[in-house]
Amino acid sequence: MFDTLSARLGQVFDKLRGRGALSEGDVDEALREVRVALLEADVALPVVKDFLAQVREHAVGQEVIRSVAPAQMVIKIVYDHLVSTLGSEAAGINLAAQPPVPVLMVGLQGSGKTTTTAKLALRLQNENKKKVMMASLDVHRPAAQEQLRVLGEQAGVVTLPVIAGQQPVDIAKRAMDAARLRGFDVVLLDTAGRLSIDEALMAEASLVRTAVRPSEVLLVADALTGQDAVTTAKAFHARLGVTGIVLTRVDGDSRGGAALSMRAVTGVPIKFLGAGEKLDALEPFYPDRIASRILGMGDIVSLVEKAKATIDEDDAKKMEAKLLAGSFDMDDYASQIKQMRKMGGLDGVMAMLPGVAKAKAQLAAANIDDKLLARQLAIIQSMTKEERRKVKILDASRRRRIAEGSGTSVPEVNKVLKQHRTMADMVKKIGKLGPKGLARHGLPGFPGTAGFGRN
Amino acid sequence: MTGSTTGSAPALGWLARLRTGLSKTAGALGGGIAGLLGGRKIDRATLQELEDQLVAADLGVRVAGRITKRLGDTRMGRELTPVELREALAEEIAGVLAPAERALDLTAAKPFVLLVVGVNGTGKTTTIGKLAARMRGEGRKVMIAAGDTFRAAAIEQLRVWGERAGAEVVADAPGADAAGLAFTALQKAREAKADVLLIDTAGRLQNKADLMAELAKIVRVLHKLDTTAPHAVLLVLDATTGQNARSQVEVFRGIAEVSGLVMAKLDGTARGGMLVAIAEEFGLPVYFIGVGEGVDDLQPFRATEFARSLVGLEP
């Protein structure tokens, strides 16, 4: 359903190749596509409008660098702006106060407050070496206090014993007293889920806040949230003075535009991401990751960096020479496979590329997965040196021997040969173009995946 | 959970509540459209503003675009007052939603097995509590299976609901096999001659293949005892969810044979506009909407009322 932004912008800019600078018209046309992409990613409309106005200012009149396609150029501008809006600094949790330091957890019903409270407690205990106590102030949802107690047991974090009938403000005070007496560093106060328009419950949370003066008020919000993210974040911030946001269910497949919406309207940093059912699944926030995800473009930057770090310079030079000569043997093919595996296997590479969903479907259809890479490698390794250099000599009996030696089958061996041939053909073409062609195409992609990175 | 609604709170109808919510929300859809124009011609600018308002209610860019385009096709150039404009918009939306307004027939089997599924935190357990109360109110014998054996204290939460509704709760130890529990519960419901068996399940994100496979297993196991069971599979959607709701419907429908929807949390500021896109694409019935946490805060879905409240009109 979601076209990647890069694909869309590619279409927009196809007709403008070879122009000097981005004109107002070009930029406006491109930003219309960006608008749709942001809205499909659930960024709230008012935030989208502000954001685009800012990007427009940056983009108009920008020189188009000759080696970069205008589409890439706009994406880069949008992406950079998105990252800086999301907050380029990683913000940790502020515990600089007289212990016990109270932290208040607030949010809508079902946003994941209780689970997040336990995850955060575990993290503070393990990584910050703090003595942590948790207390549930949720006297509304049936068994909510029991839920936190059980999670405390699972995480090995102390919870305040429940006194039936006690009200939130009193529980909070009792938690602080108990923590003071017993020398705890941090007290996490989990509150009941509430609607931003529920006056009574917002007033109750506000009373708790006044009573314990927390050093952090963390808004726990669901990454699946739609346009309502702005309303909710604004209301909680106005009433309770939110100091940070924890985005949950980042392990789902939503595009997570709520992150941008909430950050933009509150100005408070996103501090953590909840990314799994297990209690250790709480991660620090990386703006670049969420930015790529919102734009649906995969983590292009990290891919490039990873590729740089992984591909050995010498290897690359050797490969370049081979490419220019237009020759590409089985050893070269094997080294391509090895490089892919070094970069985290197909899944690792794919996750960083734009258009992933489509590419993954194609891969699934072609039955290409990481196991297959390993098997292909095994097949190549079962060939003799001579066979690897001169593929032509592989007759039926050699193929049978290779299949047996690698624990595969003859059709699989044939498949490797076919893929090698496809790749070798491509290499020949690039070789004919000379060094210029090489620079334009970069190293050839893996057969079947070739072209995924280019839009 | 709203303090006032532990049992008997009703008084306000859900529409009244929705409107209360709306009036408290600055920039809510109704207000937005009201602020658009006073008897202005329908032109491109008007349509763009309308489309924006629908987008802000989570209808999604494409659906919002289609609906405003239809409005433009039939009424371009005409001069409409704000109310007329809203009426016209509500009419378009109600047209899309109308096929989704269907009642849940519980007489097809006895016990009628109803499986409740959804992503974490959408309101499955609360919905089950309210469903049980509603069905008890209709004079049915109801049994509940506490199939969320994963989340801490989910079983205790359901027991409280069972007590409120007057329904027996079948449970196993935390961490037990949910499919096994569903099987046992169906046997028990048969023995007890219950009219309805409601089965709760653990929340799961639809992109987690292993958890979705577990859900498929629950359905398979129920099939074994009764080839027609589960007789209904309800997917609970959260009104605050944005575009991802579509993928939830698609995947849960594929794996757990979802036969109908419930939209929870419509008492907040979220408008739940994704329902329009979903109704259009999947044609699934929307049986109920959740408008609060009291036992009686579950209402049948009415297409026209929903459409009208979406654009800020009286029912």
mmCIF file of all heavy atoms in Angstrom, chain A residues 1 8 35 40 42 45 49 109 140-142 147 198 224 226-228 249 251-253 277, chain B residues 1-2 52 55-56 58 62 120 150-152 157 206-208 240 242-244 265 269 293:
data_model
loop_
_atom_site.group_PDB
_atom_site.id
_atom_site.type_symbol
_atom_site.label_atom_id
_atom_site.label_comp_id
_atom_site.label_asym_id
_atom_site.label_seq_id
_atom_site.Cartn_x
_atom_site.Cartn_y
_atom_site.Cartn_z
ATOM 1 N N MET A 1 0.828 -1.196 0.000
ATOM 2 C CA MET A 1 0.000 0.000 0.000
ATOM 3 C C MET A 1 0.875 1.264 0.000
ATOM 4 O O MET A 1 0.576 2.235 -0.665
ATOM 5 C CB MET A 1 -0.889 0.001 1.235
ATOM 6 C CG MET A 1 -1.824 1.205 1.257
ATOM 7 S SD MET A 1 -2.745 1.244 2.795
ATOM 8 C CE MET A 1 -3.946 2.511 2.401
ATOM 9 N N ARG A 8 8.625 7.361 -5.355
ATOM 10 C CA ARG A 8 7.738 8.426 -5.806
ATOM 11 C C ARG A 8 8.499 9.639 -6.301
ATOM 12 O O ARG A 8 8.202 10.200 -7.333
ATOM 13 C CB ARG A 8 6.900 8.899 -4.631
ATOM 14 C CG ARG A 8 5.712 8.069 -4.427
ATOM 15 C CD ARG A 8 4.835 8.883 -3.528
ATOM 16 N NE ARG A 8 3.726 8.083 -3.124
ATOM 17 C CZ ARG A 8 3.218 8.105 -1.916
ATOM 18 N NH1 ARG A 8 3.752 8.895 -1.006
ATOM 19 N NH2 ARG A 8 2.203 7.360 -1.619
ATOM 20 N N ARG A 35 4.384 15.093 1.471
ATOM 21 C CA ARG A 35 3.195 15.287 2.307
ATOM 22 C C ARG A 35 2.409 13.978 2.434
ATOM 23 O O ARG A 35 2.050 13.555 3.529
ATOM 24 C CB ARG A 35 2.323 16.379 1.683
ATOM 25 C CG ARG A 35 1.001 16.613 2.395
ATOM 26 C CD ARG A 35 0.187 17.684 1.667
ATOM 27 N NE ARG A 35 -1.070 17.949 2.347
ATOM 28 C CZ ARG A 35 -2.191 17.274 2.116
ATOM 29 N NH1 ARG A 35 -2.194 16.282 1.238
ATOM 30 N NH2 ARG A 35 -3.286 17.559 2.780
ATOM 31 N N GLU A 40 0.665 9.250 5.397
ATOM 32 C CA GLU A 40 0.498 7.792 5.438
ATOM 33 C C GLU A 40 1.284 7.188 6.590
ATOM 34 O O GLU A 40 0.987 6.095 7.054
ATOM 35 C CB GLU A 40 0.949 7.173 4.108
ATOM 36 C CG GLU A 40 -0.100 7.321 3.034
ATOM 37 C CD GLU A 40 0.301 6.697 1.715
ATOM 38 O OE1 GLU A 40 1.500 6.379 1.544
ATOM 39 O OE2 GLU A 40 -0.581 6.532 0.867
ATOM 40 N N ASP A 42 1.255 8.514 9.423
ATOM 41 C CA ASP A 42 0.534 8.959 10.617
ATOM 42 C C ASP A 42 1.098 10.197 11.291
ATOM 43 O O ASP A 42 0.820 10.461 12.460
ATOM 44 C CB ASP A 42 0.429 7.850 11.673
ATOM 45 C CG ASP A 42 -0.599 6.786 11.314
ATOM 46 O OD1 ASP A 42 -1.638 7.159 10.756
ATOM 47 O OD2 ASP A 42 -0.361 5.611 11.603
ATOM 48 N N LEU A 45 -1.506 16.152 10.732
ATOM 49 C CA LEU A 45 -1.590 17.156 9.663
ATOM 50 C C LEU A 45 -0.956 18.512 9.997
ATOM 51 O O LEU A 45 -0.172 19.035 9.209
ATOM 52 C CB LEU A 45 -3.045 17.323 9.231
ATOM 53 C CG LEU A 45 -3.271 18.168 7.997
ATOM 54 C CD1 LEU A 45 -2.613 17.568 6.777
ATOM 55 C CD2 LEU A 45 -4.759 18.333 7.752
ATOM 56 N N LYS A 49 2.249 20.199 7.957
ATOM 57 C CA LYS A 49 2.250 21.512 7.299
ATOM 58 C C LYS A 49 3.456 22.356 7.727
ATOM 59 O O LYS A 49 4.153 22.911 6.886
ATOM 60 C CB LYS A 49 0.938 22.248 7.594
ATOM 61 C CG LYS A 49 -0.222 21.668 6.798
ATOM 62 C CD LYS A 49 -1.508 22.449 7.030
ATOM 63 C CE LYS A 49 -2.594 21.950 6.085
ATOM 64 N NZ LYS A 49 -3.924 22.432 6.479
ATOM 65 N N GLN A 109 -5.074 4.836 28.040
ATOM 66 C CA GLN A 109 -5.288 3.414 28.304
ATOM 67 C C GLN A 109 -4.651 2.579 27.189
ATOM 68 O O GLN A 109 -4.762 2.930 26.020
ATOM 69 C CB GLN A 109 -6.782 3.076 28.335
ATOM 70 C CG GLN A 109 -7.532 3.637 29.500
ATOM 71 C CD GLN A 109 -8.190 4.959 29.172
ATOM 72 O OE1 GLN A 109 -7.776 5.650 28.267
ATOM 73 N NE2 GLN A 109 -9.200 5.305 29.932
ATOM 74 N N HIS A 140 -7.962 1.981 39.151
ATOM 75 C CA HIS A 140 -9.170 1.937 38.326
ATOM 76 C C HIS A 140 -9.298 0.644 37.531
ATOM 77 O O HIS A 140 -10.308 -0.018 37.593
ATOM 78 C CB HIS A 140 -9.190 3.142 37.386
ATOM 79 C CG HIS A 140 -9.163 4.444 38.123
ATOM 80 N ND1 HIS A 140 -10.247 4.898 38.830
ATOM 81 C CD2 HIS A 140 -8.183 5.353 38.291
ATOM 82 C CE1 HIS A 140 -9.932 6.065 39.397
ATOM 83 N NE2 HIS A 140 -8.681 6.349 39.084
ATOM 84 N N ARG A 141 -8.256 0.295 36.781
ATOM 85 C CA ARG A 141 -8.364 -0.913 35.967
ATOM 86 C C ARG A 141 -8.252 -2.130 36.876
ATOM 87 O O ARG A 141 -7.352 -2.212 37.710
ATOM 88 C CB ARG A 141 -7.254 -0.954 34.909
ATOM 89 C CG ARG A 141 -7.328 -2.193 34.029
ATOM 90 C CD ARG A 141 -6.544 -2.019 32.734
ATOM 91 N NE ARG A 141 -5.154 -1.681 32.993
ATOM 92 C CZ ARG A 141 -4.162 -2.575 33.017
ATOM 93 N NH1 ARG A 141 -4.406 -3.849 32.824
ATOM 94 N NH2 ARG A 141 -2.929 -2.195 33.241
ATOM 95 N N PRO A 142 -9.168 -3.092 36.692
ATOM 96 C CA PRO A 142 -9.113 -4.281 37.530
ATOM 97 C C PRO A 142 -7.744 -4.965 37.409
ATOM 98 O O PRO A 142 -7.223 -5.122 36.318
ATOM 99 C CB PRO A 142 -10.205 -5.181 36.943
ATOM 100 C CG PRO A 142 -11.115 -4.286 36.192
ATOM 101 C CD PRO A 142 -10.297 -3.107 35.760
ATOM 102 N N GLN A 147 -0.866 -6.665 38.285
ATOM 103 C CA GLN A 147 -0.035 -6.808 37.085
ATOM 104 C C GLN A 147 1.382 -6.278 37.331
ATOM 105 O O GLN A 147 2.363 -6.942 37.007
ATOM 106 C CB GLN A 147 -0.675 -6.050 35.905
ATOM 107 C CG GLN A 147 0.079 -6.232 34.592
ATOM 108 C CD GLN A 147 -0.503 -5.386 33.463
ATOM 109 O OE1 GLN A 147 -1.547 -4.760 33.613
ATOM 110 N NE2 GLN A 147 0.167 -5.381 32.337
ATOM 111 N N ASP A 198 -10.456 13.541 30.259
ATOM 112 C CA ASP A 198 -11.061 13.102 31.512
ATOM 113 C C ASP A 198 -10.569 14.011 32.638
ATOM 114 O O ASP A 198 -9.516 13.791 33.235
ATOM 115 C CB ASP A 198 -10.681 11.640 31.781
ATOM 116 C CG ASP A 198 -11.464 11.061 32.954
ATOM 117 O OD1 ASP A 198 -11.769 11.823 33.906
ATOM 118 O OD2 ASP A 198 -11.744 9.860 32.936
ATOM 119 N N LEU A 224 1.638 3.112 17.211
ATOM 120 C CA LEU A 224 0.591 2.895 16.207
ATOM 121 C C LEU A 224 -0.390 4.065 16.149
ATOM 122 O O LEU A 224 -1.289 4.085 15.327
ATOM 123 C CB LEU A 224 -0.207 1.622 16.522
ATOM 124 C CG LEU A 224 0.548 0.340 16.826
ATOM 125 C CD1 LEU A 224 -0.427 -0.781 17.154
ATOM 126 C CD2 LEU A 224 1.399 -0.060 15.645
ATOM 127 N N GLY A 226 -2.491 7.367 15.567
ATOM 128 C CA GLY A 226 -2.727 8.167 14.376
ATOM 129 C C GLY A 226 -2.716 9.650 14.665
ATOM 130 O O GLY A 226 -1.905 10.135 15.464
ATOM 131 N N GLN A 227 -3.630 10.361 14.038
ATOM 132 C CA GLN A 227 -3.671 11.814 14.117
ATOM 133 C C GLN A 227 -3.897 12.332 15.540
ATOM 134 O O GLN A 227 -3.557 13.454 15.862
ATOM 135 C CB GLN A 227 -4.782 12.336 13.194
ATOM 136 C CG GLN A 227 -4.557 12.001 11.725
ATOM 137 C CD GLN A 227 -3.495 12.866 11.099
ATOM 138 O OE1 GLN A 227 -3.418 14.061 11.362
ATOM 139 N NE2 GLN A 227 -2.648 12.283 10.270
ATOM 140 N N ASP A 228 -4.500 11.495 16.371
ATOM 141 C CA ASP A 228 -4.793 11.911 17.745
ATOM 142 C C ASP A 228 -3.526 12.183 18.573
ATOM 143 O O ASP A 228 -3.596 12.780 19.641
ATOM 144 C CB ASP A 228 -5.642 10.829 18.425
ATOM 145 C CG ASP A 228 -6.171 11.276 19.776
ATOM 146 O OD1 ASP A 228 -6.831 12.327 19.822
ATOM 147 O OD2 ASP A 228 -5.895 10.602 20.778
ATOM 148 N N ARG A 249 5.658 -0.267 21.256
ATOM 149 C CA ARG A 249 5.258 -1.071 20.079
ATOM 150 C C ARG A 249 5.974 -0.644 18.814
ATOM 151 O O ARG A 249 5.416 -0.679 17.716
ATOM 152 C CB ARG A 249 3.748 -1.011 19.877
ATOM 153 C CG ARG A 249 3.081 -1.725 20.998
ATOM 154 C CD ARG A 249 1.601 -1.848 20.946
ATOM 155 N NE ARG A 249 1.229 -2.117 22.320
ATOM 156 C CZ ARG A 249 0.387 -1.387 23.016
ATOM 157 N NH1 ARG A 249 -0.248 -0.393 22.466
ATOM 158 N NH2 ARG A 249 0.164 -1.676 24.265
ATOM 159 N N ASP A 251 8.166 -2.330 17.699
ATOM 160 C CA ASP A 251 8.412 -3.593 16.993
ATOM 161 C C ASP A 251 7.248 -3.960 16.078
ATOM 162 O O ASP A 251 7.302 -4.958 15.390
ATOM 163 C CB ASP A 251 8.712 -4.722 17.983
ATOM 164 C CG ASP A 251 7.665 -4.826 19.088
ATOM 165 O OD1 ASP A 251 7.090 -3.785 19.481
ATOM 166 O OD2 ASP A 251 7.424 -5.944 19.571
ATOM 167 N N GLY A 252 6.196 -3.159 16.072
ATOM 168 C CA GLY A 252 5.110 -3.384 15.123
ATOM 169 C C GLY A 252 5.521 -2.866 13.756
ATOM 170 O O GLY A 252 6.647 -2.395 13.585
ATOM 171 N N ASP A 253 4.591 -2.925 12.796
ATOM 172 C CA ASP A 253 4.995 -2.485 11.462
ATOM 173 C C ASP A 253 4.383 -1.137 11.083
ATOM 174 O O ASP A 253 4.217 -0.824 9.925
ATOM 175 C CB ASP A 253 4.675 -3.549 10.405
ATOM 176 C CG ASP A 253 3.199 -3.906 10.369
ATOM 177 O OD1 ASP A 253 2.418 -3.294 11.136
ATOM 178 O OD2 ASP A 253 2.818 -4.790 9.584
ATOM 179 N N GLU A 277 8.080 -7.868 23.562
ATOM 180 C CA GLU A 277 7.289 -8.337 24.689
ATOM 181 C C GLU A 277 8.153 -8.595 25.917
ATOM 182 O O GLU A 277 7.676 -8.607 27.037
ATOM 183 C CB GLU A 277 6.563 -9.635 24.311
ATOM 184 C CG GLU A 277 5.731 -9.525 23.042
ATOM 185 C CD GLU A 277 4.241 -9.708 23.311
ATOM 186 O OE1 GLU A 277 3.880 -9.984 24.464
ATOM 187 O OE2 GLU A 277 3.457 -9.552 22.361
ATOM 188 N N MET B 1 -12.197 2.185 33.973
ATOM 189 C CA MET B 1 -11.085 2.845 34.639
ATOM 190 C C MET B 1 -11.398 4.281 35.011
ATOM 191 O O MET B 1 -10.853 4.806 35.949
ATOM 192 C CB MET B 1 -9.874 2.832 33.743
ATOM 193 C CG MET B 1 -8.810 1.895 34.223
ATOM 194 S SD MET B 1 -7.419 2.026 33.146
ATOM 195 C CE MET B 1 -8.002 1.121 31.736
ATOM 196 N N THR B 2 -12.225 4.926 34.202
ATOM 197 C CA THR B 2 -12.631 6.255 34.610
ATOM 198 C C THR B 2 -13.405 6.089 35.908
ATOM 199 O O THR B 2 -14.397 5.392 35.947
ATOM 200 C CB THR B 2 -13.545 6.910 33.559
ATOM 201 O OG1 THR B 2 -14.098 5.874 32.774
ATOM 202 C CG2 THR B 2 -12.779 7.847 32.688
ATOM 203 N N ASP B 52 -8.471 17.877 4.265
ATOM 204 C CA ASP B 52 -7.581 18.008 5.423
ATOM 205 C C ASP B 52 -8.290 17.610 6.718
ATOM 206 O O ASP B 52 -7.719 16.933 7.570
ATOM 207 C CB ASP B 52 -7.071 19.448 5.544
ATOM 208 C CG ASP B 52 -5.956 19.735 4.552
ATOM 209 O OD1 ASP B 52 -5.590 18.812 3.798
ATOM 210 O OD2 ASP B 52 -5.463 20.878 4.527
ATOM 211 N N VAL B 55 -8.597 13.935 6.877
ATOM 212 C CA VAL B 55 -7.293 13.341 7.170
ATOM 213 C C VAL B 55 -7.008 13.447 8.667
ATOM 214 O O VAL B 55 -6.549 12.501 9.298
ATOM 215 C CB VAL B 55 -6.180 14.040 6.356
ATOM 216 C CG1 VAL B 55 -4.803 13.684 6.900
ATOM 217 C CG2 VAL B 55 -6.277 13.646 4.887
ATOM 218 N N ALA B 56 -7.343 14.591 9.243
ATOM 219 C CA ALA B 56 -7.092 14.805 10.667
ATOM 220 C C ALA B 56 -7.964 13.897 11.536
ATOM 221 O O ALA B 56 -7.711 13.727 12.721
ATOM 222 C CB ALA B 56 -7.336 16.264 11.029
ATOM 223 N N ASP B 58 -8.231 10.734 10.793
ATOM 224 C CA ASP B 58 -7.668 9.407 10.518
ATOM 225 C C ASP B 58 -8.363 8.641 9.396
ATOM 226 O O ASP B 58 -8.321 7.410 9.376
ATOM 227 C CB ASP B 58 -7.656 8.532 11.777
ATOM 228 C CG ASP B 58 -6.477 8.845 12.685
ATOM 229 O OD1 ASP B 58 -5.383 9.096 12.162
ATOM 230 O OD2 ASP B 58 -6.658 8.855 13.914
ATOM 231 N N ARG B 62 -5.866 8.775 1.065
ATOM 232 C CA ARG B 62 -6.548 8.292 -0.136
ATOM 233 C C ARG B 62 -8.066 8.344 0.011
ATOM 234 O O ARG B 62 -8.777 8.850 -0.852
ATOM 235 C CB ARG B 62 -6.112 6.856 -0.445
ATOM 236 C CG ARG B 62 -4.726 6.801 -1.034
ATOM 237 C CD ARG B 62 -4.128 5.408 -0.830
ATOM 238 N NE ARG B 62 -2.695 5.491 -0.625
ATOM 239 C CZ ARG B 62 -1.796 5.286 -1.589
ATOM 240 N NH1 ARG B 62 -2.200 4.967 -2.795
ATOM 241 N NH2 ARG B 62 -0.515 5.394 -1.347
ATOM 242 N N ASN B 120 -1.919 -5.651 21.233
ATOM 243 C CA ASN B 120 -1.837 -5.340 22.656
ATOM 244 C C ASN B 120 -2.462 -3.982 22.964
ATOM 245 O O ASN B 120 -2.255 -3.022 22.241
ATOM 246 C CB ASN B 120 -0.379 -5.269 23.126
ATOM 247 C CG ASN B 120 0.483 -6.318 22.492
ATOM 248 O OD1 ASN B 120 0.567 -6.389 21.269
ATOM 249 N ND2 ASN B 120 1.116 -7.127 23.285
ATOM 250 N N PHE B 150 -0.576 -14.838 28.821
ATOM 251 C CA PHE B 150 0.761 -14.238 28.748
ATOM 252 C C PHE B 150 0.907 -12.997 29.627
ATOM 253 O O PHE B 150 1.773 -12.917 30.483
ATOM 254 C CB PHE B 150 1.115 -13.881 27.302
ATOM 255 C CG PHE B 150 2.463 -13.219 27.164
ATOM 256 C CD1 PHE B 150 3.623 -13.979 27.184
ATOM 257 C CD2 PHE B 150 2.566 -11.842 27.056
ATOM 258 C CE1 PHE B 150 4.869 -13.374 27.088
ATOM 259 C CE2 PHE B 150 3.808 -11.229 26.965
ATOM 260 C CZ PHE B 150 4.958 -12.001 26.981
ATOM 261 N N ARG B 151 0.007 -12.030 29.455
ATOM 262 C CA ARG B 151 0.172 -10.765 30.168
ATOM 263 C C ARG B 151 -0.054 -10.978 31.664
ATOM 264 O O ARG B 151 -1.012 -11.638 32.072
ATOM 265 C CB ARG B 151 -0.817 -9.716 29.638
ATOM 266 C CG ARG B 151 -0.693 -8.373 30.346
ATOM 267 C CD ARG B 151 -1.381 -7.268 29.573
ATOM 268 N NE ARG B 151 -2.795 -7.525 29.399
ATOM 269 C CZ ARG B 151 -3.733 -7.053 30.234
ATOM 270 N NH1 ARG B 151 -3.406 -6.341 31.287
ATOM 271 N NH2 ARG B 151 -4.996 -7.313 30.001
ATOM 272 N N ALA B 152 0.813 -10.378 32.451
ATOM 273 C CA ALA B 152 0.706 -10.518 33.898
ATOM 274 C C ALA B 152 -0.657 -10.008 34.363
ATOM 275 O O ALA B 152 -1.110 -8.947 33.961
ATOM 276 C CB ALA B 152 1.826 -9.718 34.570
ATOM 277 N N GLN B 157 -7.745 -9.747 35.970
ATOM 278 C CA GLN B 157 -8.539 -8.656 35.407
ATOM 279 C C GLN B 157 -9.865 -9.196 34.862
ATOM 280 O O GLN B 157 -10.926 -8.628 35.102
ATOM 281 C CB GLN B 157 -7.743 -7.972 34.279
ATOM 282 C CG GLN B 157 -8.450 -6.752 33.698
ATOM 283 C CD GLN B 157 -7.660 -6.140 32.533
ATOM 284 O OE1 GLN B 157 -6.528 -6.540 32.245
ATOM 285 N NE2 GLN B 157 -8.250 -5.177 31.861
ATOM 286 N N GLN B 206 0.552 -7.804 14.729
ATOM 287 C CA GLN B 206 0.252 -8.681 13.599
ATOM 288 C C GLN B 206 1.473 -9.064 12.785
ATOM 289 O O GLN B 206 1.408 -9.950 11.955
ATOM 290 C CB GLN B 206 -0.808 -8.032 12.701
ATOM 291 C CG GLN B 206 -0.333 -6.849 11.855
ATOM 292 C CD GLN B 206 -0.400 -5.542 12.612
ATOM 293 O OE1 GLN B 206 -0.446 -5.509 13.849
ATOM 294 N NE2 GLN B 206 -0.403 -4.433 11.883
ATOM 295 N N ASN B 207 2.606 -8.390 13.023
ATOM 296 C CA ASN B 207 3.799 -8.761 12.255
ATOM 297 C C ASN B 207 4.677 -9.782 12.984
ATOM 298 O O ASN B 207 5.782 -10.075 12.566
ATOM 299 C CB ASN B 207 4.622 -7.513 11.901
ATOM 300 C CG ASN B 207 5.118 -6.782 13.135
ATOM 301 O OD1 ASN B 207 4.557 -6.936 14.218
ATOM 302 N ND2 ASN B 207 6.159 -5.990 12.985
ATOM 303 N N LYS B 208 4.172 -10.333 14.105
ATOM 304 C CA LYS B 208 4.947 -11.352 14.822
ATOM 305 C C LYS B 208 4.428 -12.722 14.402
ATOM 306 O O LYS B 208 3.384 -13.182 14.887
ATOM 307 C CB LYS B 208 4.781 -11.190 16.327
ATOM 308 C CG LYS B 208 5.075 -9.779 16.809
ATOM 309 C CD LYS B 208 6.384 -9.746 17.520
ATOM 310 C CE LYS B 208 6.863 -8.330 17.625
ATOM 311 N NZ LYS B 208 7.911 -8.136 18.575
ATOM 312 N N THR B 240 -7.644 5.168 18.611
ATOM 313 C CA THR B 240 -6.499 6.077 18.489
ATOM 314 C C THR B 240 -5.485 5.591 17.453
ATOM 315 O O THR B 240 -4.579 6.317 17.094
ATOM 316 C CB THR B 240 -5.758 6.257 19.830
ATOM 317 O OG1 THR B 240 -5.260 4.998 20.253
ATOM 318 C CG2 THR B 240 -6.653 6.832 20.897
ATOM 319 N N GLY B 242 -3.760 4.743 14.008
ATOM 320 C CA GLY B 242 -3.800 5.394 12.706
ATOM 321 C C GLY B 242 -3.846 4.384 11.570
ATOM 322 O O GLY B 242 -4.579 3.400 11.627
ATOM 323 N N GLN B 243 -3.028 4.611 10.560
ATOM 324 C CA GLN B 243 -3.078 3.818 9.335
ATOM 325 C C GLN B 243 -2.785 2.336 9.556
ATOM 326 O O GLN B 243 -3.155 1.494 8.750
ATOM 327 C CB GLN B 243 -2.095 4.395 8.300
ATOM 328 C CG GLN B 243 -2.366 5.839 7.950
ATOM 329 C CD GLN B 243 -3.768 6.037 7.414
ATOM 330 O OE1 GLN B 243 -4.164 5.388 6.455
ATOM 331 N NE2 GLN B 243 -4.537 6.905 8.054
ATOM 332 N N ASN B 244 -2.119 2.016 10.644
ATOM 333 C CA ASN B 244 -1.765 0.620 10.892
ATOM 334 C C ASN B 244 -2.997 -0.266 11.111
ATOM 335 O O ASN B 244 -2.922 -1.489 10.973
ATOM 336 C CB ASN B 244 -0.819 0.525 12.095
ATOM 337 C CG ASN B 244 -0.179 -0.838 12.212
ATOM 338 O OD1 ASN B 244 -0.508 -1.618 13.096
ATOM 339 N ND2 ASN B 244 0.718 -1.149 11.300
ATOM 340 N N LYS B 265 -12.543 2.658 22.609
ATOM 341 C CA LYS B 265 -11.952 3.957 22.984
ATOM 342 C C LYS B 265 -12.456 5.131 22.150
ATOM 343 O O LYS B 265 -11.712 6.065 21.882
ATOM 344 C CB LYS B 265 -10.431 3.891 22.924
ATOM 345 C CG LYS B 265 -9.863 2.769 23.798
ATOM 346 C CD LYS B 265 -8.369 2.846 23.879
ATOM 347 C CE LYS B 265 -7.781 1.509 24.289
ATOM 348 N NZ LYS B 265 -6.331 1.497 24.235
ATOM 349 N N THR B 269 -10.509 11.604 22.337
ATOM 350 C CA THR B 269 -10.496 12.636 21.309
ATOM 351 C C THR B 269 -10.261 12.049 19.924
ATOM 352 O O THR B 269 -10.382 12.745 18.929
ATOM 353 C CB THR B 269 -9.390 13.671 21.608
ATOM 354 O OG1 THR B 269 -8.181 12.971 21.903
ATOM 355 C CG2 THR B 269 -9.772 14.541 22.779
ATOM 356 N N GLU B 293 -15.509 2.845 30.088
ATOM 357 C CA GLU B 293 -15.072 1.632 30.758
ATOM 358 C C GLU B 293 -16.101 0.999 31.671
ATOM 359 O O GLU B 293 -15.823 0.038 32.367
ATOM 360 C CB GLU B 293 -13.775 1.911 31.518
ATOM 361 C CG GLU B 293 -12.616 1.901 30.578
ATOM 362 C CD GLU B 293 -11.492 2.786 31.058
ATOM 363 O OE1 GLU B 293 -11.775 3.838 31.656
ATOM 364 O OE2 GLU B 293 -10.349 2.408 30.851
#
